[in-house]
Amino acid sequence: MQERVGLPGHTRPERLLHQQVRETTEAIVGAVTGSLTAPRSLLLGRYDNHGRLQYAGRTTTLAQAAGSAVAGLLASARRGHPWTGRPFSPATSPA
């Protein structure tokens, strides 16, 4: 905790609480940039209420070690993957 003392308009010390808030959720790796053997970023999705895989966001650029670690867990998309042929670039999202 930090104390704020001696500021104009304050006659008694005040304690300021600093809290960090973290919210997490699960997502599916729906695609990658780069290749399956050397992914540069992961494109993440979540299933909506109708069972469709919807784009949720992407990771930052992966460090080489992280990309190598993830590469062993990735597999090619099955036929009929909902994102097949969709463009993924920083300026657009696959809506």
Side-chain angles (χ1 to χ4, degrees):
M1 283 193 219
Q2 294 179 333
E3 284 191 22
R4 205 166 66 173
V5 181
L7 295 176
H10 292 279
T11 57
R12 68 179 201 280
E14 294 180 20
R15 296 200 181 269
L16 300 177
L17 298 177
H18 295 273
Q19 294 182 327
Q20 230 178 4
V21 177
R22 179 179 293 176
E23 186 176 327
T24 61
T25 188
E26 293 185 9
I28 295 169
V29 177
V32 299
T33 61
S35 67
L36 289 178
T37 57
R40 293 193 36 89
S41 68
L42 308 176
L43 306 176
L44 307 174
R46 295 193 53 163
Y47 286 104
D48 65 15
N49 294 336
H50 303 287
R52 295 178 300 227
L53 185 60
Q54 298 293 325
Y55 178 79
R58 75 170 61 217
T59 65
T60 59
T61 301
L62 300 175
Q64 188 174 3
S68 296
V70 170
L73 304 172
L74 299 173
S76 294
R78 291 187 230 155
R79 186 175 181 175
H81 188 289
W83 296 353
T84 300
R86 287 188 147 172
F88 291 90
S89 70
T92 62
S93 67

